[in-house]
């Protein structure tokens, strides 16, 4: 089976985010970069498919050279090869522009299935998977918490308001991953895997190598523009109910505060 | 000067950091109470490849240089130190005798099992009357036909209770002792006459055990002299080479533990309120944090530099290694002391990890060469330059 994972590098969810001087981007110099956690689930799912059916897992990503580390991490987990599309023209692209680039990469690789996270933890647009599927004319199965594939069809389970929906399609298809770390439990990049990853092929491409024109996917083609960013308001400190009251008094005061101040009951 | 850490070593550090955060740190207090590491965690350590970091690739390890090993230990030491100790004898003193001086057959026979973690290796040099004065060992080995017979008693042997194979040092020529009369042997647990004796009760490092090894007419095949017959009597040199290498990785562990103590202390100082303000706003606390951070910075750069020097020149860097062991292990003890002070009464409580670190790091100034022995080594090297 020929499997492609679309992987985005995002800031570590524990990084301290600061808005840059322009008010519409973030300061990146102190950020630790990781594989978008949902894309990490996709890598895990892809490796399990490979273990079942054989074949190859190709990691496709975009962005500057720092992204190489994330691709190599996926290779160290067990993926076979990587492709990085590193082109300055993509710096201010919107989701659709990126999706066009990824769709072109997928077409070149001609896989049976494409996996990626249903969202990235940085901008939370939830657009990459569906857009790539649309551009390719392939079915899109969203929010997978399980994945079964027999080589010609793919079946996933997805949660719906606490319930479960099972959807199926023929291949080729795009599946976007939902669930959590506990659901997918992605494997570590083992130390021997890291040593092997150094020798695995990683192609770095420009837009022109994929037959793309910056005018169709670069910043000029962006249909949406990020106007401004704002930090969440600082959380107020917790409050301790007056310790001088007896238990009944404390309970009364707590109920009053929850009802009248917090307005949650 | 290039201070960049190679990409694969950074990835390795990331993997170990994640492993520490997800799998080790959540059980570190439990391990402390139970005084044992759960088998499934040891299994995960094997899968990650942690037991073979320093062992050459052709014998099933990762073949990382000393810098790689140091970076791995730095990350692995940011939690209960028993986890580091569990893998350290396989990567360090338990295997390095074979790596450095072993014959090709010995390497092929033993190293893959040690690298995979299938076997645990330990290093048996210390005896009740031979600690810093290692040349004073009394354990005897005598050649009888095609095998050696070892008699004697080793103590304070890290991982001695679980080891499958030990590097054992014994006197083969009582006249010559350290000058050609001590020999290093590879002794398997299953050899007749090999016994695990008393398991010590220690101040700290719970989860890792220190045991006595007793040899009573222990039969060791002739081919198990490290390096073969040509190396009979050369064991003391092997021991010194092994210890030289271990000094750098011990320094790296001290740096990792100190970094963790700084993080715990900074977090606590920001959150603990006294006199109506977080204590991090008081100069007395801030100056301690500044001292901790500065000392860690100095120590880390020492470790990296000496490791880089060793990897690029292949030289034993005896003086630098001793300096690293001395400075880093003393440093982590000062840092642990400040961490307890910043935590106040809480820092003295068993529920607080700094209490555990405070006891665990104390050993670093003693084992694998005390601080005083390091000073002897350093001063000897310094004076050599003026002979």
């Amino acid at each position: 089976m020929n499997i492609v994972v679309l992987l985005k590098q995002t800031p570590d969810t524990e990084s301290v985010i600061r808005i840059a001087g322009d008010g519409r981007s973030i300061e990146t110099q102190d950020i630790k970069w990781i594989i978008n956690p949902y894309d990490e689930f996709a890598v895990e799912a892809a490796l399990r498919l490979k273990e079942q059916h054989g074949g190859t897992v190709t990691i496709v990503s975009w962005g500057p050279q720092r992204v190489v580390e994330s691709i190599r991490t996926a290779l160290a987990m067990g993926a076979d090869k990587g492709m990085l599309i590193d082109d300055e023209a993509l710096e201010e692209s919107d989701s659709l522009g990126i999706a066009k680039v990824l769709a072109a990469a997928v077409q070149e690789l001609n896989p049976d299935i494409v996996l990626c996270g249903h969202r990235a933890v940085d901008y939370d647009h939830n657009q990459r998977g569906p857009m790539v599927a649309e551009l390719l004319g392939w079915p899109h199965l969203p929010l997978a918490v399980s994945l079964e594939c027999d080589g010609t069809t793919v079946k996933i389970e997805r949660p719906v308001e606490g319930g479960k929906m099972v959807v199926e399609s023929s291949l080729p298809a795009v599946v976007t991953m939902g669930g959590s770390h506990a659901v997918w439990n992605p494997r570590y990049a083992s130390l021997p895997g890291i040593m092997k990853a150094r020798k695995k092929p990683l192609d770095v491409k420009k837009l022109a190598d994929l037959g793309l024109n910056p005018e169709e996917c670069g910043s000029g083609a962006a249909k949406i523009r990020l106007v401004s960013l704002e930090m969440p308001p600082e959380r107020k400190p917790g409050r301790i109910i007056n310790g001088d009251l007896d238990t009944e008094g404390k309970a009364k005061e707590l109920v009053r505060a929850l009802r009248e101040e917090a307005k949650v009951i | 000067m290039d201070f960049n850490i190679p990409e694969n070593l950074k990835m390795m550090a990331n993997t170990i950091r994640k492993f520490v955060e997800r799998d080790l740190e959540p059980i570190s207090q439990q391990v402390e109470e139970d005084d044992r590491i759960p088998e499934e965690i040891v299994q995960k350590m094997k899968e990650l490849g942690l037991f073979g970091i320093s062992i050459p690739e052709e014998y099933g390890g990762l073949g990382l240089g000393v810098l790689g090993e140091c970076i791995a230990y730095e990350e692995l030491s940011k939690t209960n130190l028993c986890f580091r100790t569990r893998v350290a004898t396989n990567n360090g003193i338990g295997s390095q005798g074979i790596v450095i001086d072993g014959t090709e057959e010995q390497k092929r026979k033993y190293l893959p099992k040690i690298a995979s973690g299938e076997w645990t290796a330990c290093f048996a040099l210390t005896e009740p009357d031979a600690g810093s004065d290692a040349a004073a060992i009394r354990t005897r080995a005598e050649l009888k036909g095609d095998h050696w017979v070892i008699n004697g008693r080793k103590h304070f042997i890290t991982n001695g209770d679980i080891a499958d194979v030990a590097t054992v040092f014994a006197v083969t020529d009582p006249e010559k002792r350290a000058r050609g009369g001590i020999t290093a042997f590879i002794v398997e647990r299953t050899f007749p006459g090999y016994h695990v004796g008393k398991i010590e009760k220690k101040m700290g490092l719970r989860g890792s055990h220190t045991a006595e090894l007793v040899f009573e007419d222990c039969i060791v095949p002739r081919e198990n002299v490290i390096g073969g017959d040509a190396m009979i009597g050369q064991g003391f040199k092997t021991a010194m080479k092994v210890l030289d290498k271990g000094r750098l990785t011990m320094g790296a562990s001290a740096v990792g533990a100190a970094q963790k103590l700084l993080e715990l202390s900074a977090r606590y100082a920001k959150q603990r309120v006294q006199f109506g303000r977080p204590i991090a706003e008081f100069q007395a606390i801030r100056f301690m944090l500044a001292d901790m951070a500065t000392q860690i910075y100095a120590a880390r750069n020492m470790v990296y530099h000496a490791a880089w020097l060793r990897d690029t020149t292949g030289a034993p860097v005896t003086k630098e290694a001793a300096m690293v062991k001395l400075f880093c292990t003393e440093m982590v003890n000062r840092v642990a002391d400040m961490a307890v002070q910043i935590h106040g009464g809480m820092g003295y409580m068993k529920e607080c990890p700094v209490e555990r670190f405070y006891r665990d790091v104390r050993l670093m100034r003693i084992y694998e060469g005390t601080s005083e022995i390091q000073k002897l080594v350093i001063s000897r090297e310094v004076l050599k330059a003026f002979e």
Side-chain angles (χ1 to χ4, degrees), chain B residues 168-188:
Chain B
V168 177
F169 296 87
V171 177
T172 43
D173 184 340
E175 297 295 311
K176 293 183 183 160
R177 305 200 65 83
R179 298 176 195 282
I182 290 175
T183 302
F185 298 90
I186 305 168
V187 184
E188 295 178 31

Side-chain angles (χ1 to χ4, degrees), chain A residues 18-252:
Chain A
R18 289 191 185 88
I19 296 171
D22 65 4
R24 46 190 287 274
S25 63
I26 59 166
E27 282 180 9
T28 53
Q29 71 268 26
D30 292 332
I31 282 187
K32 203 177 140 254
W33 298 93
I34 58 165
I35 299 174
N36 170 38
Y38 291 95
D39 294 343
E40 201 181 358
F41 306 160
V43 175
E44 176 61 35
L47 295 174
R48 289 183 200 171
L49 278 183
K50 183 190 160 185
E51 281 159 6
Q52 261 177 8
H53 301 284
T56 56
V57 175
T58 308
I59 307 295
V60 175
S61 192
W62 71 101
Q65 278 302 305
R66 62 170 151 77
V67 179
V68 166
E69 192 183 329
S70 290
I71 298 176
R72 289 255 182 244
T73 303
L75 297 179
M77 288 168 75
D80 301 283
K81 52 197 172 80
M83 181 197 289
L84 172 66
I85 302 129
D86 176 7
D87 197 308
E88 288 168 7
L90 292 176
E91 258 170 41
E92 300 236 333
S93 294
D94 66 358
S95 303
L96 186 57
I98 298 297
K100 281 180 186 164
V101 175
L102 296 176
V106 170
Q107 263 167 339
E108 188 178 300
L109 293 162
N110 192 27
D112 300 297
I113 192 166
V114 171
L115 307 177
C116 68
H118 82 278
R119 67 185 179 98
V121 297
D122 50 5
Y123 290 108
D124 251 346
H125 286 322
N126 294 258
Q127 291 176 332
R128 175 181 37 153
M131 280 177 169
V132 170
E134 177 71 22
L135 290 166
L136 293 167
W138 290 8
H140 166 230
L141 291 72
L143 289 166
V145 293
S146 76
L147 179 73
E148 269 177 57
C149 190
D150 60 10
T152 50
T153 60
V154 56
K155 188 155 69 168
I156 65 147
E157 291 179 307
R158 57 163 290 190
V160 184
E161 289 290 325
K164 196 197 289 174
M165 185 190 277
V166 179
V167 279
E168 190 181 47
S169 87
S170 61
L171 294 179
V174 176
V175 176
T176 56
M177 320 307 290
S180 62
H181 198 273
V183 168
W184 290 105
N185 197 17
R187 66 198 68 189
Y188 289 109
S190 75
L191 307 192
I194 290 169
M195 302 307 280
K196 282 189 207 123
R198 282 189 304 180
K199 293 165 199 141
K200 290 181 177 174
L202 200 167
D203 282 345
V204 180
K205 293 192 184 252
K206 294 274 174 204
L207 289 178
D209 299 327
L210 292 168
L212 290 165
N213 187 336
E215 279 157 32
E216 37 179 340
C217 50
S219 60
K223 293 186 186 342
I224 60 164
R225 201 167 68 85
L226 203 165
V227 180
S228 73
L229 287 171
E230 218 172 282
M231 293 301 282
E234 250 183 68
R235 225 174 34 192
K236 284 186 204 152
R239 192 182 130 206
I240 296 167
I241 301 289
N242 185 353
D244 297 336
L245 298 168
D246 60 9
T247 308
E248 199 187 328
K250 279 182 196 160
K252 232 181 207 168

Side-chain angles (χ1 to χ4, degrees), chain A residues 32 68-69 181 188-189 191, chain B residues 12 14-15 22-23 48 62:
Chain A
K32 203 177 140 254
V68 166
E69 192 183 329
H181 198 273
Y188 289 109
L191 307 192
Chain B
M12 185 189 68
N14 276 338
T15 281
R22 287 184 194 156
D23 289 292
L48 271 181
L62 296 172

Side-chain angles (χ1 to χ4, degrees), chain B residues 73-87:
Chain B
Y73 281 136
E74 187 180 334
E75 290 304 327
L76 198 54
S77 301
K78 293 178 179 173
T79 181
N80 194 319
L81 287 167
C82 72
F83 298 117
R84 181 208 77 100
T85 312
R86 182 66 182 78
V87 304

